[in-house]
Amino acid sequence: HVQLQASGGGLVQAGGSLRLSCAASEITDNWDVMAWFRQGTGTYRKFVAGIRWSGNGAKYSDSVKGRFTISEDRAKNTADLQMDSPKPEDTDTYFCAVSKSLLGEVVTSAPLYPYWGQGTLVTVSS
């Protein structure tokens, strides 16, 4: 059972920077993907970015591509989400999650992620 601890949320001005971090209790060959999702009140969890622990092939949602960067540190079992130039519409609760890759690719569907960290609220002010 993988336990995840997310941190780094808070208030940031539009155009600034914020870094989210997620620490996993263990990483195995079976659970080789870590991703970040976002969720607003009354909405489903939406994929933001994901990365394989092997370091091959990060994947991003179109809305954050070019602004957010996901990175992993296998030695520390962490995956960070660097949020540059955030926009007010990026305001949401962010969750990290772990899953298996599918045919070598990061999966983007929330139901395919069995392990989740607690949410961390990100508020972007205009």
Side-chain angles (χ1 to χ4, degrees):
H1 183 81
V2 180
Q3 295 179 320
L4 302 172
Q5 180 70 40
S7 61
L11 177 64
V12 61
Q13 278 194 323
S17 293
L18 192 68
R19 191 174 185 91
L20 306 182
S21 185
C22 184
S25 59
E26 62 178 297
I27 297 298
T28 69
D29 289 339
N30 282 337
W31 307 108
D32 64 337
V33 170
M34 184 174 283
W36 286 92
F37 288 76
R38 57 183 291 184
Q39 184 175 26
T41 303
T43 67
Y44 60 91
R45 291 183 182 179
K46 301 175 186 176
F47 177 82
V48 175
I51 191 168
R52 291 186 63 195
W53 288 108
S54 64
N56 295 328
K59 185 176 286 187
Y60 299 91
S61 67
D62 288 343
S63 64
V64 306
K65 202 173 293 183
R67 299 187 298 120
F68 293 5
T69 304
I70 189 170
S71 60
E72 51 88 9
D73 186 333
R74 185 68 187 262
K76 297 179 181 179
N77 286 355
T78 58
D80 290 356
L81 183 69
Q82 177 68 34
M83 305 172 68
D84 294 322
S85 300
K87 304 174 182 178
E89 51 263 44
D90 294 323
T91 295
D92 246 337
T93 299
Y94 286 72
F95 296 85
C96 59
V98 164
S99 183
K100 303 177 183 181
S101 59
L102 181 62
L103 300 177
E105 297 288 329
V106 171
V107 294
T108 61
S109 176
L112 296 179
Y113 284 76
Y115 300 115
W116 293 84
Q118 86 288 3
T120 185
L121 179 62
V122 173
T123 303
V124 185
S125 63
S126 57

Short mmCIF file of all heavy atoms in Angstrom, two decimals, residues 59-124:
data_model
loop_
_atom_site.label_atom_id
_atom_site.label_comp_id
_atom_site.label_asym_id
_atom_site.label_seq_id
_atom_site.Cartn_x
_atom_site.Cartn_y
_atom_site.Cartn_z
N LYS A 59 3.92 13.87 -19.19
CA LYS A 59 2.72 14.21 -19.95
C LYS A 59 1.99 15.35 -19.24
O LYS A 59 1.95 15.37 -18.00
CB LYS A 59 1.81 12.99 -20.10
CG LYS A 59 0.58 13.20 -20.96
CD LYS A 59 -0.20 11.90 -21.12
CE LYS A 59 0.50 10.94 -22.04
NZ LYS A 59 -0.34 9.75 -22.32
N TYR A 60 1.41 16.25 -20.02
CA TYR A 60 0.74 17.42 -19.45
C TYR A 60 -0.63 17.62 -20.09
O TYR A 60 -0.84 17.28 -21.26
CB TYR A 60 1.57 18.69 -19.69
CG TYR A 60 2.94 18.66 -19.05
CD1 TYR A 60 4.04 18.17 -19.75
CD2 TYR A 60 3.12 19.11 -17.75
CE1 TYR A 60 5.29 18.13 -19.16
CE2 TYR A 60 4.38 19.08 -17.15
CZ TYR A 60 5.45 18.58 -17.87
OH TYR A 60 6.69 18.55 -17.28
N SER A 61 -1.53 18.21 -19.33
CA SER A 61 -2.78 18.63 -19.92
C SER A 61 -2.50 19.85 -20.79
O SER A 61 -1.53 20.59 -20.57
CB SER A 61 -3.80 18.99 -18.83
OG SER A 61 -3.40 20.14 -18.12
N ASP A 62 -3.33 20.08 -21.76
CA ASP A 62 -3.12 21.20 -22.67
C ASP A 62 -3.14 22.53 -21.92
O ASP A 62 -2.45 23.48 -22.30
CB ASP A 62 -4.20 21.21 -23.75
CG ASP A 62 -4.00 20.08 -24.75
OD1 ASP A 62 -2.90 19.51 -24.81
OD2 ASP A 62 -4.98 19.75 -25.45
N SER A 63 -3.92 22.61 -20.86
CA SER A 63 -4.08 23.88 -20.17
C SER A 63 -2.83 24.32 -19.40
O SER A 63 -2.67 25.50 -19.10
CB SER A 63 -5.26 23.81 -19.20
OG SER A 63 -5.01 22.85 -18.18
N VAL A 64 -1.94 23.38 -19.10
CA VAL A 64 -0.75 23.75 -18.32
C VAL A 64 0.55 23.56 -19.10
O VAL A 64 1.62 23.94 -18.62
CB VAL A 64 -0.66 22.95 -17.00
CG1 VAL A 64 -1.94 23.09 -16.20
CG2 VAL A 64 -0.32 21.48 -17.24
N LYS A 65 0.46 23.00 -20.28
CA LYS A 65 1.66 22.74 -21.08
C LYS A 65 2.41 24.03 -21.33
O LYS A 65 1.83 25.05 -21.71
CB LYS A 65 1.24 22.09 -22.40
CG LYS A 65 2.33 21.30 -23.09
CD LYS A 65 1.76 20.56 -24.29
CE LYS A 65 0.80 19.47 -23.88
NZ LYS A 65 0.29 18.69 -25.03
N GLY A 66 3.70 24.00 -21.06
CA GLY A 66 4.52 25.19 -21.24
C GLY A 66 4.59 26.08 -20.01
O GLY A 66 5.42 26.99 -19.96
N ARG A 67 3.74 25.82 -19.02
CA ARG A 67 3.76 26.64 -17.79
C ARG A 67 4.14 25.80 -16.57
O ARG A 67 4.82 26.29 -15.67
CB ARG A 67 2.39 27.28 -17.56
CG ARG A 67 1.94 28.21 -18.65
CD ARG A 67 0.66 28.95 -18.28
NE ARG A 67 -0.46 28.03 -18.08
CZ ARG A 67 -1.12 27.91 -16.93
NH1 ARG A 67 -0.79 28.63 -15.87
NH2 ARG A 67 -2.14 27.05 -16.84
N PHE A 68 3.68 24.57 -16.52
CA PHE A 68 3.96 23.70 -15.39
C PHE A 68 4.98 22.64 -15.81
O PHE A 68 5.00 22.21 -16.96
CB PHE A 68 2.70 22.99 -14.91
CG PHE A 68 1.66 23.89 -14.30
CD1 PHE A 68 1.81 25.27 -14.27
CD2 PHE A 68 0.50 23.35 -13.74
CE1 PHE A 68 0.84 26.10 -13.72
CE2 PHE A 68 -0.47 24.15 -13.19
CZ PHE A 68 -0.30 25.53 -13.18
N THR A 69 5.81 22.22 -14.84
CA THR A 69 6.80 21.19 -15.10
C THR A 69 6.77 20.17 -13.98
O THR A 69 6.85 20.53 -12.81
CB THR A 69 8.21 21.79 -15.19
OG1 THR A 69 8.25 22.81 -16.19
CG2 THR A 69 9.23 20.70 -15.55
N ILE A 70 6.64 18.90 -14.35
CA ILE A 70 6.69 17.84 -13.36
C ILE A 70 8.07 17.19 -13.41
O ILE A 70 8.64 17.01 -14.49
CB ILE A 70 5.57 16.79 -13.59
CG1 ILE A 70 5.52 15.82 -12.41
CG2 ILE A 70 5.74 16.07 -14.91
CD1 ILE A 70 4.28 14.91 -12.43
N SER A 71 8.61 16.89 -12.24
CA SER A 71 9.92 16.25 -12.18
C SER A 71 9.90 15.21 -11.07
O SER A 71 9.09 15.29 -10.14
CB SER A 71 11.02 17.28 -11.91
OG SER A 71 10.78 17.96 -10.68
N GLU A 72 10.79 14.24 -11.16
CA GLU A 72 10.82 13.19 -10.15
C GLU A 72 12.23 13.02 -9.63
O GLU A 72 13.21 13.28 -10.33
CB GLU A 72 10.28 11.87 -10.72
CG GLU A 72 10.91 11.42 -12.03
CD GLU A 72 12.15 10.58 -11.88
OE1 GLU A 72 12.47 10.17 -10.75
OE2 GLU A 72 12.83 10.34 -12.91
N ASP A 73 12.31 12.61 -8.38
CA ASP A 73 13.59 12.29 -7.74
C ASP A 73 13.45 10.90 -7.15
O ASP A 73 12.88 10.71 -6.07
CB ASP A 73 13.92 13.32 -6.65
CG ASP A 73 15.31 13.12 -6.07
OD1 ASP A 73 15.83 11.97 -6.08
OD2 ASP A 73 15.89 14.11 -5.58
N ARG A 74 13.96 9.92 -7.87
CA ARG A 74 13.78 8.53 -7.45
C ARG A 74 14.46 8.25 -6.13
O ARG A 74 13.98 7.46 -5.33
CB ARG A 74 14.33 7.61 -8.55
CG ARG A 74 14.11 6.13 -8.29
CD ARG A 74 12.65 5.76 -8.35
NE ARG A 74 12.41 4.39 -7.94
CZ ARG A 74 12.25 3.38 -8.75
NH1 ARG A 74 12.34 3.57 -10.06
NH2 ARG A 74 12.02 2.17 -8.29
N ALA A 75 15.56 8.90 -5.88
CA ALA A 75 16.30 8.68 -4.63
C ALA A 75 15.48 9.09 -3.42
O ALA A 75 15.60 8.53 -2.34
CB ALA A 75 17.63 9.42 -4.66
N LYS A 76 14.63 10.13 -3.61
CA LYS A 76 13.82 10.63 -2.51
C LYS A 76 12.36 10.16 -2.60
O LYS A 76 11.57 10.47 -1.72
CB LYS A 76 13.84 12.17 -2.50
CG LYS A 76 15.21 12.77 -2.26
CD LYS A 76 15.15 14.29 -2.28
CE LYS A 76 16.51 14.91 -2.06
NZ LYS A 76 16.45 16.39 -2.11
N ASN A 77 12.02 9.45 -3.67
CA ASN A 77 10.63 9.04 -3.90
C ASN A 77 9.68 10.24 -3.91
O ASN A 77 8.60 10.22 -3.31
CB ASN A 77 10.17 8.04 -2.84
CG ASN A 77 10.76 6.65 -3.05
OD1 ASN A 77 11.44 6.40 -4.04
ND2 ASN A 77 10.51 5.76 -2.11
N THR A 78 10.10 11.29 -4.58
CA THR A 78 9.26 12.49 -4.66
C THR A 78 9.02 12.87 -6.12
O THR A 78 9.82 12.57 -7.01
CB THR A 78 9.92 13.69 -3.96
OG1 THR A 78 11.19 13.94 -4.54
CG2 THR A 78 10.07 13.43 -2.47
N ALA A 79 7.90 13.54 -6.33
CA ALA A 79 7.60 14.12 -7.63
C ALA A 79 7.04 15.51 -7.38
O ALA A 79 6.08 15.67 -6.64
CB ALA A 79 6.60 13.27 -8.40
N ASP A 80 7.66 16.49 -7.98
CA ASP A 80 7.29 17.88 -7.78
C ASP A 80 6.58 18.44 -9.00
O ASP A 80 6.85 18.04 -10.13
CB ASP A 80 8.53 18.74 -7.50
CG ASP A 80 9.15 18.43 -6.15
OD1 ASP A 80 8.58 17.62 -5.40
OD2 ASP A 80 10.22 19.01 -5.86
N LEU A 81 5.69 19.38 -8.74
CA LEU A 81 5.03 20.11 -9.81
C LEU A 81 5.40 21.58 -9.68
O LEU A 81 4.96 22.25 -8.72
CB LEU A 81 3.51 19.94 -9.74
CG LEU A 81 2.73 20.60 -10.88
CD1 LEU A 81 3.00 19.87 -12.20
CD2 LEU A 81 1.22 20.60 -10.58
N GLN A 82 6.22 22.06 -10.58
CA GLN A 82 6.61 23.47 -10.61
C GLN A 82 5.57 24.23 -11.42
O GLN A 82 5.37 23.95 -12.60
CB GLN A 82 8.00 23.63 -11.23
CG GLN A 82 8.46 25.06 -11.37
CD GLN A 82 8.74 25.71 -10.04
OE1 GLN A 82 9.19 25.07 -9.10
NE2 GLN A 82 8.48 27.02 -9.94
N MET A 83 4.90 25.16 -10.75
CA MET A 83 3.83 25.92 -11.38
C MET A 83 4.35 27.33 -11.67
O MET A 83 4.49 28.14 -10.76
CB MET A 83 2.60 25.97 -10.47
CG MET A 83 2.10 24.61 -10.04
SD MET A 83 0.80 24.67 -8.78
CE MET A 83 -0.55 25.38 -9.73
N ASP A 84 4.69 27.59 -12.91
CA ASP A 84 5.15 28.92 -13.32
C ASP A 84 4.03 29.62 -14.07
O ASP A 84 3.25 29.00 -14.79
CB ASP A 84 6.39 28.81 -14.19
CG ASP A 84 7.58 28.26 -13.43
OD1 ASP A 84 7.74 28.62 -12.25
OD2 ASP A 84 8.37 27.49 -14.01
N SER A 85 4.00 30.92 -13.92
CA SER A 85 2.95 31.74 -14.56
C SER A 85 1.55 31.18 -14.32
O SER A 85 0.77 31.01 -15.27
CB SER A 85 3.22 31.86 -16.07
OG SER A 85 4.47 32.45 -16.30
N PRO A 86 1.21 30.88 -13.06
CA PRO A 86 -0.14 30.37 -12.83
C PRO A 86 -1.17 31.45 -13.13
O PRO A 86 -0.89 32.65 -13.06
CB PRO A 86 -0.11 30.00 -11.34
CG PRO A 86 0.93 30.89 -10.75
CD PRO A 86 1.98 31.04 -11.82
N LYS A 87 -2.38 31.00 -13.43
CA LYS A 87 -3.48 31.88 -13.75
C LYS A 87 -4.58 31.68 -12.70
O LYS A 87 -4.67 30.61 -12.08
CB LYS A 87 -4.04 31.56 -15.13
CG LYS A 87 -3.01 31.61 -16.25
CD LYS A 87 -3.62 31.14 -17.56
CE LYS A 87 -2.59 31.13 -18.68
NZ LYS A 87 -3.17 30.63 -19.96
N PRO A 88 -5.45 32.64 -12.53
CA PRO A 88 -6.55 32.47 -11.57
C PRO A 88 -7.36 31.20 -11.83
O PRO A 88 -7.85 30.57 -10.89
CB PRO A 88 -7.37 33.73 -11.77
CG PRO A 88 -6.38 34.76 -12.19
CD PRO A 88 -5.39 34.03 -13.05
N GLU A 89 -7.49 30.82 -13.08
CA GLU A 89 -8.26 29.61 -13.40
C GLU A 89 -7.53 28.33 -13.00
O GLU A 89 -8.11 27.24 -13.08
CB GLU A 89 -8.62 29.56 -14.89
CG GLU A 89 -7.46 29.76 -15.83
CD GLU A 89 -7.36 31.20 -16.31
OE1 GLU A 89 -7.51 32.13 -15.48
OE2 GLU A 89 -7.11 31.39 -17.52
N ASP A 90 -6.29 28.42 -12.56
CA ASP A 90 -5.57 27.26 -12.03
C ASP A 90 -5.94 27.01 -10.56
O ASP A 90 -5.52 26.00 -9.99
CB ASP A 90 -4.06 27.45 -12.12
CG ASP A 90 -3.57 27.49 -13.55
OD1 ASP A 90 -4.09 26.74 -14.39
OD2 ASP A 90 -2.64 28.29 -13.84
N THR A 91 -6.69 27.91 -9.97
CA THR A 91 -7.10 27.73 -8.57
C THR A 91 -7.92 26.46 -8.41
O THR A 91 -8.90 26.25 -9.12
CB THR A 91 -7.94 28.94 -8.11
OG1 THR A 91 -7.11 30.11 -8.10
CG2 THR A 91 -8.50 28.72 -6.71
N ASP A 92 -7.49 25.62 -7.48
CA ASP A 92 -8.15 24.34 -7.26
C ASP A 92 -7.42 23.62 -6.12
O ASP A 92 -6.38 24.08 -5.65
CB ASP A 92 -8.09 23.45 -8.51
CG ASP A 92 -9.47 23.22 -9.11
OD1 ASP A 92 -10.47 23.34 -8.37
OD2 ASP A 92 -9.55 22.89 -10.31
N THR A 93 -7.98 22.48 -5.73
CA THR A 93 -7.27 21.58 -4.84
C THR A 93 -6.51 20.58 -5.69
O THR A 93 -7.10 19.97 -6.59
CB THR A 93 -8.24 20.86 -3.89
OG1 THR A 93 -8.92 21.84 -3.09
CG2 THR A 93 -7.49 19.91 -2.98
N TYR A 94 -5.23 20.42 -5.41
CA TYR A 94 -4.37 19.54 -6.20
C TYR A 94 -4.06 18.28 -5.40
O TYR A 94 -3.78 18.34 -4.20
CB TYR A 94 -3.09 20.27 -6.59
CG TYR A 94 -3.31 21.29 -7.69
CD1 TYR A 94 -4.00 22.48 -7.43
CD2 TYR A 94 -2.87 21.05 -8.98
CE1 TYR A 94 -4.23 23.39 -8.45
CE2 TYR A 94 -3.09 21.96 -10.00
CZ TYR A 94 -3.78 23.13 -9.72
OH TYR A 94 -4.01 24.04 -10.74
N PHE A 95 -4.09 17.15 -6.11
CA PHE A 95 -3.84 15.84 -5.51
C PHE A 95 -2.72 15.14 -6.29
O PHE A 95 -2.67 15.20 -7.52
CB PHE A 95 -5.09 14.96 -5.59
CG PHE A 95 -6.27 15.46 -4.81
CD1 PHE A 95 -7.14 16.39 -5.38
CD2 PHE A 95 -6.53 15.00 -3.53
CE1 PHE A 95 -8.25 16.85 -4.68
CE2 PHE A 95 -7.63 15.45 -2.82
CZ PHE A 95 -8.49 16.38 -3.39
N CYS A 96 -1.86 14.44 -5.55
CA CYS A 96 -0.92 13.57 -6.24
C CYS A 96 -1.41 12.13 -6.13
O CYS A 96 -2.16 11.79 -5.21
CB CYS A 96 0.50 13.71 -5.68
SG CYS A 96 0.70 13.33 -3.93
N ALA A 97 -1.01 11.32 -7.08
CA ALA A 97 -1.49 9.94 -7.15
C ALA A 97 -0.46 9.07 -7.84
O ALA A 97 0.38 9.56 -8.59
CB ALA A 97 -2.82 9.89 -7.90
N VAL A 98 -0.55 7.77 -7.58
CA VAL A 98 0.38 6.80 -8.15
C VAL A 98 -0.40 5.73 -8.91
O VAL A 98 -1.46 5.27 -8.46
CB VAL A 98 1.23 6.15 -7.03
CG1 VAL A 98 1.92 4.89 -7.52
CG2 VAL A 98 2.27 7.13 -6.53
N SER A 99 0.15 5.32 -10.05
CA SER A 99 -0.49 4.28 -10.84
C SER A 99 0.58 3.51 -11.62
O SER A 99 1.77 3.69 -11.41
CB SER A 99 -1.50 4.91 -11.80
OG SER A 99 -2.19 3.92 -12.54
N LYS A 100 0.10 2.66 -12.51
CA LYS A 100 0.98 1.93 -13.42
C LYS A 100 0.92 2.58 -14.79
O LYS A 100 -0.14 3.06 -15.20
CB LYS A 100 0.50 0.48 -13.57
CG LYS A 100 0.40 -0.30 -12.30
CD LYS A 100 -0.14 -1.70 -12.58
CE LYS A 100 -0.33 -2.49 -11.32
NZ LYS A 100 -0.83 -3.85 -11.59
N SER A 101 2.02 2.55 -15.50
CA SER A 101 1.99 3.02 -16.88
C SER A 101 1.26 2.00 -17.74
O SER A 101 1.13 0.82 -17.39
CB SER A 101 3.41 3.22 -17.41
OG SER A 101 4.14 2.02 -17.34
N LEU A 102 0.74 2.46 -18.85
CA LEU A 102 0.03 1.60 -19.78
C LEU A 102 0.75 1.66 -21.12
O LEU A 102 0.83 2.72 -21.74
CB LEU A 102 -1.42 2.07 -19.93
CG LEU A 102 -2.31 1.25 -20.88
CD1 LEU A 102 -2.43 -0.19 -20.37
CD2 LEU A 102 -3.68 1.88 -21.01
N LEU A 103 1.28 0.54 -21.54
CA LEU A 103 2.06 0.48 -22.78
C LEU A 103 3.15 1.54 -22.78
O LEU A 103 3.42 2.18 -23.80
CB LEU A 103 1.14 0.65 -23.99
CG LEU A 103 0.05 -0.40 -24.14
CD1 LEU A 103 -0.85 -0.08 -25.33
CD2 LEU A 103 0.65 -1.79 -24.29
N GLY A 104 3.76 1.74 -21.61
CA GLY A 104 4.85 2.68 -21.50
C GLY A 104 4.44 4.13 -21.38
O GLY A 104 5.30 5.02 -21.37
N GLU A 105 3.15 4.38 -21.29
CA GLU A 105 2.65 5.75 -21.26
C GLU A 105 2.03 6.09 -19.91
O GLU A 105 1.50 5.23 -19.21
CB GLU A 105 1.58 5.95 -22.34
CG GLU A 105 2.09 5.76 -23.77
CD GLU A 105 2.97 6.92 -24.21
OE1 GLU A 105 2.74 8.06 -23.74
OE2 GLU A 105 3.89 6.68 -25.01
N VAL A 106 2.10 7.37 -19.56
CA VAL A 106 1.42 7.87 -18.37
C VAL A 106 -0.08 7.84 -18.61
O VAL A 106 -0.56 8.35 -19.63
CB VAL A 106 1.88 9.31 -18.06
CG1 VAL A 106 1.02 9.93 -16.97
CG2 VAL A 106 3.36 9.34 -17.68
N VAL A 107 -0.81 7.24 -17.71
CA VAL A 107 -2.27 7.23 -17.84
C VAL A 107 -2.84 8.52 -17.27
O VAL A 107 -2.29 9.08 -16.32
CB VAL A 107 -2.88 5.99 -17.15
CG1 VAL A 107 -2.45 4.73 -17.86
CG2 VAL A 107 -2.49 5.92 -15.67
N THR A 108 -3.94 8.97 -17.84
CA THR A 108 -4.48 10.27 -17.44
C THR A 108 -5.86 10.19 -16.78
O THR A 108 -6.41 11.20 -16.39
CB THR A 108 -4.58 11.20 -18.66
OG1 THR A 108 -5.46 10.63 -19.62
CG2 THR A 108 -3.21 11.41 -19.29
N SER A 109 -6.40 8.99 -16.65
CA SER A 109 -7.73 8.83 -16.09
C SER A 109 -7.65 8.59 -14.59
O SER A 109 -6.99 7.64 -14.14
CB SER A 109 -8.44 7.66 -16.77
OG SER A 109 -9.70 7.43 -16.17
N ALA A 110 -8.33 9.42 -13.82
CA ALA A 110 -8.26 9.32 -12.36
C ALA A 110 -8.66 7.95 -11.81
O ALA A 110 -8.02 7.47 -10.86
CB ALA A 110 -9.11 10.42 -11.73
N PRO A 111 -9.70 7.29 -12.35
CA PRO A 111 -10.06 5.97 -11.81
C PRO A 111 -8.96 4.92 -11.93
O PRO A 111 -9.03 3.88 -11.27
CB PRO A 111 -11.28 5.58 -12.65
CG PRO A 111 -11.88 6.87 -13.07
CD PRO A 111 -10.70 7.77 -13.31
N LEU A 112 -7.95 5.17 -12.76
CA LEU A 112 -6.85 4.21 -12.92
C LEU A 112 -5.77 4.41 -11.87
O LEU A 112 -4.78 3.69 -11.87
CB LEU A 112 -6.25 4.33 -14.32
CG LEU A 112 -7.18 3.97 -15.47
CD1 LEU A 112 -6.47 4.17 -16.81
CD2 LEU A 112 -7.68 2.54 -15.35
N TYR A 113 -5.96 5.37 -10.99
CA TYR A 113 -4.98 5.65 -9.95
C TYR A 113 -5.52 5.11 -8.60
O TYR A 113 -6.47 5.67 -8.06
CB TYR A 113 -4.70 7.14 -9.85
CG TYR A 113 -3.80 7.64 -10.96
CD1 TYR A 113 -4.28 7.82 -12.25
CD2 TYR A 113 -2.46 7.90 -10.72
CE1 TYR A 113 -3.44 8.25 -13.28
CE2 TYR A 113 -1.62 8.34 -11.73
CZ TYR A 113 -2.12 8.51 -13.00
OH TYR A 113 -1.27 8.93 -14.01
N PRO A 114 -4.91 4.07 -8.06
CA PRO A 114 -5.43 3.49 -6.82
C PRO A 114 -4.97 4.20 -5.55
O PRO A 114 -5.58 4.04 -4.49
CB PRO A 114 -4.90 2.06 -6.85
CG PRO A 114 -3.64 2.16 -7.66
CD PRO A 114 -3.87 3.23 -8.68
N TYR A 115 -3.87 4.93 -5.63
CA TYR A 115 -3.31 5.55 -4.43
C TYR A 115 -3.29 7.07 -4.59
O TYR A 115 -2.79 7.58 -5.60
CB TYR A 115 -1.90 5.03 -4.17
CG TYR A 115 -1.85 3.54 -3.96
CD1 TYR A 115 -1.17 2.71 -4.85
CD2 TYR A 115 -2.48 2.96 -2.87
CE1 TYR A 115 -1.13 1.35 -4.67
CE2 TYR A 115 -2.44 1.59 -2.68
CZ TYR A 115 -1.77 0.79 -3.58
OH TYR A 115 -1.74 -0.56 -3.39
N TRP A 116 -3.77 7.74 -3.54
CA TRP A 116 -3.90 9.19 -3.59
C TRP A 116 -3.35 9.82 -2.31
O TRP A 116 -3.49 9.27 -1.22
CB TRP A 116 -5.37 9.60 -3.73
CG TRP A 116 -5.95 9.21 -5.06
CD1 TRP A 116 -6.47 8.01 -5.40
CD2 TRP A 116 -6.04 10.04 -6.21
NE1 TRP A 116 -6.88 8.04 -6.72
CE2 TRP A 116 -6.62 9.28 -7.23
CE3 TRP A 116 -5.68 11.36 -6.49
CZ2 TRP A 116 -6.87 9.79 -8.52
CZ3 TRP A 116 -5.91 11.87 -7.75
CH2 TRP A 116 -6.51 11.09 -8.74
N GLY A 117 -2.76 10.99 -2.47
CA GLY A 117 -2.40 11.79 -1.31
C GLY A 117 -3.55 12.69 -0.93
O GLY A 117 -4.57 12.76 -1.63
N GLN A 118 -3.39 13.40 0.17
CA GLN A 118 -4.41 14.36 0.55
C GLN A 118 -4.29 15.58 -0.36
O GLN A 118 -3.26 15.82 -0.96
CB GLN A 118 -4.25 14.76 2.03
CG GLN A 118 -3.27 15.90 2.29
CD GLN A 118 -1.82 15.56 2.12
OE1 GLN A 118 -1.45 14.45 1.74
NE2 GLN A 118 -0.96 16.53 2.40
N GLY A 119 -5.31 16.33 -0.53
CA GLY A 119 -5.28 17.48 -1.41
C GLY A 119 -4.53 18.64 -0.80
O GLY A 119 -4.44 18.77 0.43
N THR A 120 -4.00 19.48 -1.66
CA THR A 120 -3.37 20.72 -1.21
C THR A 120 -3.96 21.86 -2.04
O THR A 120 -4.00 21.78 -3.26
CB THR A 120 -1.83 20.65 -1.32
OG1 THR A 120 -1.27 21.84 -0.76
CG2 THR A 120 -1.34 20.48 -2.74
N LEU A 121 -4.46 22.87 -1.35
CA LEU A 121 -5.17 23.94 -2.03
C LEU A 121 -4.21 24.96 -2.62
O LEU A 121 -3.30 25.45 -1.95
CB LEU A 121 -6.10 24.65 -1.03
CG LEU A 121 -6.92 25.83 -1.57
CD1 LEU A 121 -7.87 25.38 -2.69
CD2 LEU A 121 -7.69 26.50 -0.44
N VAL A 122 -4.45 25.27 -3.90
CA VAL A 122 -3.70 26.30 -4.59
C VAL A 122 -4.67 27.41 -4.98
O VAL A 122 -5.68 27.15 -5.64
CB VAL A 122 -3.01 25.74 -5.85
CG1 VAL A 122 -2.37 26.87 -6.66
CG2 VAL A 122 -1.97 24.70 -5.46
N THR A 123 -4.38 28.61 -4.54
CA THR A 123 -5.21 29.77 -4.86
C THR A 123 -4.36 30.78 -5.61
O THR A 123 -3.33 31.22 -5.08
CB THR A 123 -5.79 30.41 -3.59
OG1 THR A 123 -6.53 29.44 -2.86
CG2 THR A 123 -6.71 31.57 -3.96
N VAL A 124 -4.78 31.12 -6.82
CA VAL A 124 -4.06 32.08 -7.64
C VAL A 124 -4.85 33.37 -7.69
O VAL A 124 -5.98 33.40 -8.18
CB VAL A 124 -3.81 31.53 -9.06
CG1 VAL A 124 -2.94 32.52 -9.85
CG2 VAL A 124 -3.15 30.17 -9.01
#
